[in-house]
Amino acid sequence: MLHWESTHELNAFRLLDANPAVLSISEQPLTIRYVLNGVEHDHYPDIQVVTGQGKELWEVKTSEDASRPEVVQRTQLLTEALPAFGFTYRVAVAEDLAMQPRLTNLLFVLRHGRVDIPIVERERIRILLARLPNLTWGGVRRGALGTKGLNYACRLILEGALTVDMSGGLPDDLPVRAAPPGTRTLLMKVGMRT
């Protein structure tokens, strides 16, 4: 269970939950005490994101709030200072987090991908994918991967074993491809300010 203080933070959690490159997320994980223009401040980043590349601290702001001078100054200071402590600092822009149709697509994948895939089914799907190099989203929806194929495909997208471009709609002709073995593919880009 994660706590969010705004719809924007909820959208960030959804995007991170659907990203197979993300190993863990936590809300308001720590307090940063910093001095800016001679004044001491406490800052509570909204989200900590752990990937295989390291740890990130995210602050979720609307574009308008991210552009305020005090936020710009804080972002610059923390972006420069936090790598010494093992963190990357980012401002996730709320409008980008809510971008459509990507968010709707991710909600669909999250809703349908919460299933376990038996090992026999994983192997069957692996063989099918090798035989169907031109698999499309429409093929998945029509049962090319079996009766639970849509659920399994969504699960495999969440795991990073299948890749689908989530930035557009999910049309029938959208290619569905197997990811290279052993990779965790970042499926979406989020507007960030550093």
Side-chain angles (χ1 to χ4, degrees):
M1 294 290 290
L2 294 169
H3 173 76
W4 58 86
E5 295 179 349
S6 69
T7 303
H8 309 308
E9 288 180 21
L10 174 59
N11 289 339
F13 285 132
R14 289 170 167 163
L15 288 165
L16 292 165
D17 190 26
N19 186 334
V22 174
L23 303 176
S24 69
I25 52 179
S26 57
E27 81 276 0
Q28 295 188 329
L30 51 85
T31 304
I32 300 171
R33 182 159 286 148
Y34 66 98
V35 177
L36 188 62
N37 299 325
V39 179
E40 189 173 295
H41 301 272
D42 287 337
H43 175 53
Y44 307 91
D46 295 318
I47 305 170
Q48 178 177 304
V49 181
V50 178
T51 69
Q53 307 299 322
K55 295 185 277 185
E56 300 179 359
L57 296 173
W58 285 24
E59 182 67 11
V60 178
K61 294 284 186 201
T62 64
S63 184
E64 181 181 344
D65 286 343
S67 299
R68 290 190 345 228
E70 62 273 14
V71 174
V72 170
Q73 287 180 329
R74 179 183 69 204
T75 300
Q76 182 178 356
L77 174 69
L78 296 180
T79 299
E80 293 170 1
L82 287 177
F85 298 95
F87 292 95
T88 300
Y89 185 80
R90 302 181 187 281
V91 173
V93 180
E95 293 82 356
D96 291 333
L97 295 170
M99 192 178 348
Q100 293 294 346
R102 179 188 64 196
L103 184 59
T104 299
N105 295 341
L106 291 173
L107 291 174
F108 179 89
V109 170
L110 285 166
R111 184 172 54 252
H112 292 282
R114 298 295 183 205
V115 296
D116 288 326
I117 306 175
I119 190 130
V120 172
E121 284 297 305
R122 284 182 184 274
E123 181 61 12
R124 187 184 64 75
I125 291 170
R126 187 192 65 76
I127 292 168
L128 275 172
L129 289 171
R131 291 181 186 160
L132 299 170
N134 297 319
L135 182 64
T136 64
W137 188 252
V140 170
R141 287 189 323 102
R142 288 188 296 277
L145 299 179
T147 57
K148 293 186 178 181
L150 179 63
N151 296 94
Y152 293 162
C154 290
R155 176 59 183 222
L156 292 169
I157 290 168
L158 293 173
E159 292 176 4
L162 290 181
T163 61
V164 174
D165 180 3
M166 299 295 232
S167 61
L170 293 175
D172 280 353
D173 63 347
L174 180 69
V176 177
R177 295 192 169 86
T183 63
R184 289 181 169 248
T185 307
L186 181 63
L187 296 177
M188 74 285 299
K189 293 181 180 174
V190 176
M192 295 287 186
R193 297 187 184 181
T194 55

